[in-house]
């Protein structure tokens, strides 16, 4: 049995990691690969995975999974983003989720004949969305900041609410809970209060511990301590208030996220790796747990429930919730259709099917129905997210997003002048004198503390999705890029090699590996040459660049509507802004 358990975990890891790599290669959410991979090697497939061999260990793994996902989710949220879209977020959480749950409950009872108390449980667990799937979608398509905020907040706090509700509903099923609705309501409230208190106190203590750890000057400790703490907070909260652990870890992560500490990027980076490994393998394990063969006759009706829930109930509930908000209709349609359910829904259903006795057939139907909903919503999200966003006009190519340029000098000013012809551009600078000079020259400038988290949140809301650090100081460029990568997508943050003779200090670990232009490029030399008028920036075709001595900087894309920052050894297909010294072989200078 031990060998079978080890084999199951090994195969799940192999399939999960392979699916994750495939999803990153194809730039689509990995959920479909997890589901198909798990089924193919599970009970109805090759039989390489036997989840039953894990015994009670599967319960523990499921709880660790929930703790890691929701703690990581809390880390991705900020109070600033909530304030910007607070009305829409509140209406999504307190109108869309209940309406979705009620719709799911009615469909399960009417179409599948599931008894009411089990239908209530299904309605509670199915309101949870998929933060892992939503995160993959937001990485694969660039959407307006407002949409990203809505989808993120719903995916995280929707999971918390769904887990709490399903825990209460599960007690009603398991213990034949006969108390009054008042008692049920008080139980729910106590769990919410307990989760918030334990989470807030634990978050405060964790921040203090991490600040002390920073004195040890070992960056690897931040992620290790945070993951261990997330699991400990989850267990502690459940010990005090049953099933309050999910809320506690989400609150702790949210508290930590809003401290603005410099070690947040190390924590996020480490937790992303751990959660990706854990989620991928667990999704495969849970998919292998599904055995639809005894219920083949019910699957057409299950798919009908999944279709009505995803194509009618979900969009209608979103439209009702956002009716009196500033969210444009196309964005409401997108949020309504793209509402994937994820691993927490499957994990909750699997946990219940293992825990509850006396309802084997009903719980099997529930698990398969949950799997059908997750599969259908995952297919819709994966297949439709990009074409739907393009059709609705909410898809923003990265090359058309605004660009923040950090550092004002002759080179960056010339670059900004060119970029401004295609996309919004703004300087970020701390030197008040340089800010005033740039303003007099008609350049839009944000004069602020570059380590202030709110600045990047504001910039993203204004459509600035990219940052180019181009100061004369390599260490400063790396520091700014690392800070910006906490808020912007790290793939959209670039730094230019300064190679200053006066300042050659390099950070031990760089969170931004996107080196703009060329590894051999020197901003210090380029700025001096432009200031002395010994070099120019010139638009050149790929053929003109050949043997010209020019260094490509910015490629014009999207039929002249966008700009792409060139990285080292990139193949160019369009006209490109190049840096061209006067001593280069070019007769037009």
């Amino acid at each position: 049995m031990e060998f079978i358990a080890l084999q199951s975990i090994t195969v799940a890891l192999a399939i999960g990691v392979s699916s994750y790599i495939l999803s990153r290669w194809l730039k689509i959410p990995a959920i479909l690969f997890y589901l198909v991979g798990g089924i193919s090697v599970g009970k109805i497939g090759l039989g390489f995975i036997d989840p039953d061999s894990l015994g009670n260990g599967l319960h523990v793994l499921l709880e660790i999974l929930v703790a890691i996902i929701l703690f990581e989710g809390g880390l991705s949220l900020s109070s600033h983003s909530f304030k910007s879209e607070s009305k829409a977020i509140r209406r999504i959480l307190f109108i869309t989720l209940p309406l979705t749950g009620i719709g799911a409950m009615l469909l399960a009872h009417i179409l599948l004949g599931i008894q009411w108390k089990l239908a209530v449980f299904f309605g509670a667990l199915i309101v949870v969305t998929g933060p892992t799937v939503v995160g993959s979608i937001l990485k694969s398509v660039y959407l307006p900041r407002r949409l990203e905020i809505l989808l993120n907040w719903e995916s995280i706090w929707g999971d918390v609410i769904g887990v709490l509700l399903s825990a209460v509903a599960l007690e009603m099923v398991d213990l034949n809970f006969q108390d009054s609705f008042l008692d049920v309501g008080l139980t729910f409230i106590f769990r919410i209060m307990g989760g918030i208190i334990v989470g807030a106190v634990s978050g405060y203590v964790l921040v203090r511990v991490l600040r002390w750890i920073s004195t040890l000057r070992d960056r690897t400790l931040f992620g290790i301590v945070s993951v261990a703490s997330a699991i400990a907070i989850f267990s502690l909260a459940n010990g005090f208030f049953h099933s309050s652990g999910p809320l506690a870890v989400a609150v702790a992560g949210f508290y930590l996220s809003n401290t603005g500490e410099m070690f947040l990027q190390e924590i996020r980076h480490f937790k992303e790796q751990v959660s990706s490994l854990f989620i991928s393998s667990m999704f495969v394990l849970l998919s292998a747990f599904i055995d639809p063969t005894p219920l083949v006759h019910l699957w057409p009706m299950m798919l009908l429930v999944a279709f009505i829930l995803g194509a009618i109930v979900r969009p209608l509930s979103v439209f009702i919730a956002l009716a009196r908000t500033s969210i444009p209709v196309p964005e409401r349609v997108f949020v309504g259709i793209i509402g994937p359910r994820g691993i927490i829904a499957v994990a909750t259903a699997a946990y219940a099917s293992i825990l509850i006795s006396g309802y084997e057939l009903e719980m099997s139907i529930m698990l398969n129905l949950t799997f059908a909903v997750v599969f259908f919503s995952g297919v819709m999200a994966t297949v439709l997210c990009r074409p739907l966003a393009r059709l609705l006009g909410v898809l923003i190519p990265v090359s058309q997003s605004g660009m923040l340029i950090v550092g004002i000098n002759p080179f960056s000013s010339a670059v900004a002048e060119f970029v401004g012809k295609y996309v919004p551009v703004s300087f970020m600078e701390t030197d008040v004198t340089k800010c005033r000079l740039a303003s007099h020259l008609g350049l839009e400038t944000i004069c602020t503390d570059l380590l202030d988290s709110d600045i990047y949140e504001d910039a993203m809301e204004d459509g600035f999705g990219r940052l180019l650090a181009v100061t004369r100081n390599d260490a400063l460029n790396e520091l700014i890029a690392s800070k910006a990568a906490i808020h912007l997508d790290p793939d959209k943050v670039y730094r230019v090699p300064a190679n200053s003779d006066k300042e050659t200090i390099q950070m031990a670990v760089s969170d931004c590996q996107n080196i703009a232009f060329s590894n051999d490029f020197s901003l210090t030399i380029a700025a001096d040459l432009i200031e002395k008028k010994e070099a120019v920036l010139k638009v050149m075709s790929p053929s003109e660049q050949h043997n010209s001595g020019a260094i490509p900087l910015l490629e014009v894309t999207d039929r002249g509507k966008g700009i792409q920052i060139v990285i080292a050894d990139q193949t160019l297909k369009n006209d490109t802004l190049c840096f061209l010294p006067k001593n280069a072989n070019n007769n037009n200078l």
Side-chain angles (χ1 to χ4, degrees):
M1 183 64 72
E2 291 181 359
F3 173 77
I4 296 176
L6 179 60
Q7 172 185 290
S8 298
I9 293 177
T10 302
V11 173
L13 282 169
I15 297 295
V17 171
S18 300
S19 299
Y20 184 75
I21 294 173
L22 186 60
S23 73
R24 295 303 296 266
W25 178 45
L26 298 177
K27 299 186 183 302
I28 60 176
I31 183 171
L32 292 184
F33 303 120
Y34 297 151
L35 296 175
V36 174
I39 292 173
S40 64
V41 296
K43 291 182 177 180
I44 64 171
L46 300 174
F48 292 156
I49 294 180
D50 180 15
D52 295 333
S53 65
L54 300 177
N56 292 330
L58 186 60
H59 300 177
V60 178
L61 291 174
L62 290 175
E63 291 189 332
I64 293 175
L65 172 71
V66 173
I68 291 177
I69 289 177
L70 294 181
F71 185 72
E72 183 187 32
L75 279 173
S76 68
L77 303 176
S78 71
S79 58
H80 187 272
S81 65
F82 177 80
K83 292 175 184 177
S84 65
E85 298 297 335
S86 58
K87 181 179 179 180
I89 292 171
R90 288 197 305 267
R91 293 177 72 87
I92 282 283
L93 293 178
F94 298 115
I95 296 179
T96 295
L97 296 189
L99 289 178
T100 302
I102 292 171
M105 175 187 67
L106 294 174
L107 289 170
H109 177 72
I110 295 172
L111 297 183
L112 289 170
I114 297 177
Q115 56 181 294
W116 278 114
K117 59 182 178 181
L118 291 173
V120 169
F121 171 67
F122 174 71
L125 76 88
I126 211 61
V127 302
V128 302
T129 50
T132 54
V133 186
V134 169
S136 298
I137 290 173
L138 297 182
K139 288 179 180 179
S140 61
V141 295
Y142 190 64
L143 302 170
R145 179 59 176 163
R146 177 172 50 236
L147 270 183
E148 293 183 348
I149 291 173
L150 280 179
L151 291 172
N152 256 328
W153 275 82
E154 182 193 8
S155 68
I156 302 304
W157 293 109
D159 274 9
V160 171
I161 294 171
V163 171
L164 286 170
L165 286 173
S166 60
V168 173
L170 189 60
E171 284 191 4
M172 296 174 64
V173 176
D174 187 31
L175 304 177
N176 291 316
F177 205 84
Q178 298 296 329
D179 292 342
S180 66
F181 285 106
L182 177 60
D183 292 334
V184 174
L186 289 175
T187 299
F188 184 64
I189 292 173
F190 283 142
R191 288 176 180 175
I192 291 177
M193 294 177 60
I196 292 174
I197 292 171
V198 173
V201 173
S202 300
Y204 173 80
V205 172
L206 178 58
V207 170
R208 304 289 293 185
V209 171
L210 291 173
R211 286 174 180 168
W212 175 79
I213 287 177
S214 65
T215 62
L216 302 179
R217 303 184 185 280
D218 187 348
R219 298 160 65 96
T220 61
L221 292 176
F222 295 122
I224 296 172
V225 171
S226 297
V227 169
S229 298
I231 299 171
I233 292 169
F234 185 90
S235 177
L236 180 66
N238 279 344
F240 282 115
F241 306 94
H242 184 58
S243 300
S244 64
L247 178 59
V249 292
V251 169
F254 181 67
Y255 182 92
L256 183 60
S257 174
N258 284 275
T259 59
E261 297 286 349
M262 290 300 297
F263 49 67
L264 281 176
Q265 181 63 11
E266 284 80 10
I267 295 174
R268 289 189 175 111
H269 182 65
F270 180 80
K271 284 188 68 61
E272 183 178 2
Q273 293 179 324
V274 172
S275 62
S276 296
L277 179 65
F278 205 84
I279 289 169
S280 60
S281 57
M282 284 303 299
F283 225 135
V284 172
L285 273 175
L286 292 174
S287 299
F289 189 76
I290 304 296
D291 184 7
T293 51
L295 303 172
V296 171
H297 62 289
L298 291 178
W299 264 87
M301 196 59 68
M302 290 184 197
L303 292 175
L304 179 61
V305 171
F307 173 79
I308 296 175
L309 192 61
I312 299 176
V313 175
R314 161 75 182 182
L316 184 60
S317 64
V318 169
F319 261 81
I320 293 173
L322 300 180
R324 297 183 179 179
T325 66
S326 60
I327 307 298
V329 172
E331 296 183 14
R332 297 181 198 178
V333 173
F334 187 85
V335 174
I337 295 178
I338 305 298
R341 272 54 190 155
I343 191 170
I344 290 186
V346 178
T348 303
Y351 181 82
S353 68
I354 296 171
L355 183 67
I356 300 298
S357 58
Y359 300 94
E360 283 74 15
L361 177 60
E362 292 86 350
M363 296 310 296
S364 179
I365 294 174
M366 191 87 63
L367 179 60
N368 279 266
L369 178 58
T370 303
F371 184 85
V373 172
V374 169
F375 186 82
F376 180 81
S377 62
V379 169
M380 287 186 63
T382 301
V383 175
L384 295 181
C385 64
R386 185 175 294 276
L388 181 64
R390 185 179 293 109
L391 177 65
L392 296 173
V394 299
L395 178 65
I396 302 176
V398 176
S399 60
Q400 294 181 23
S401 63
M403 187 183 300
L404 298 171
I405 298 180
V406 181
I408 301 176
N409 52 63
F411 175 80
S412 63
S413 298
V415 168
E417 183 180 358
F418 178 79
V419 172
K421 298 176 182 178
Y422 299 89
V423 300
V425 60
S426 179
F427 280 105
M428 297 181 71
E429 181 60 71
T430 55
D431 190 321
V432 177
T433 303
K434 289 185 177 180
C435 289
R436 290 174 179 171
L437 177 60
S439 297
H440 288 316
L441 295 175
L443 302 174
E444 182 178 345
T445 307
I446 302 173
C447 197
T448 184
D449 177 7
L450 298 178
L451 301 183
D452 183 357
S453 301
D454 288 345
I455 296 303
Y456 298 102
E457 294 284 343
D458 287 335
M460 290 174 69
E461 290 173 19
D462 291 336
F464 291 93
R466 294 176 288 175
L467 180 140
L468 180 66
V470 61
T471 74
R472 295 176 185 264
N473 187 311
D474 278 313
L476 180 59
N477 286 340
E478 293 191 50
L479 178 63
I480 292 169
S482 297
K483 180 65 177 180
I486 297 176
H487 305 279
L488 305 176
D489 186 332
D491 291 336
K492 299 168 188 172
V493 177
Y494 302 81
R495 56 188 175 89
V496 177
N499 297 329
S500 169
D501 293 334
K502 298 180 180 179
E503 182 60 74
T504 57
I505 298 175
Q506 296 289 315
M507 295 175 66
V509 178
S510 174
D511 296 311
C512 174
Q513 300 300 331
N514 298 317
I515 307 298
F517 313 150
S518 167
N519 291 320
D520 299 325
F521 184 82
S522 171
L523 179 277
T524 302
I525 295 175
D528 289 342
L529 289 177
I530 289 179
E531 189 172 26
K532 297 175 182 177
K533 298 183 178 181
E534 295 179 3
V536 295
L537 300 187
K538 180 181 179 181
V539 177
M540 306 176 69
S541 66
S543 60
E544 290 175 324
Q545 296 170 37
H546 187 63
N547 295 328
S548 67
I551 299 177
L553 307 176
L554 301 164
E555 184 181 14
V556 180
T557 61
D558 301 328
R559 298 180 181 179
K561 296 181 179 179
I563 287 293
Q564 179 175 299
I565 298 173
V566 176
I567 58 176
D569 302 323
Q570 178 179 332
T571 301
L572 303 173
K573 300 179 181 178
N574 306 294
D575 288 349
T576 304
L577 181 72
C578 298
F579 173 77
L580 191 64
K582 282 192 173 182
N583 59 7
N585 183 21
N586 193 305
N587 297 326
N588 295 326
L589 295 178

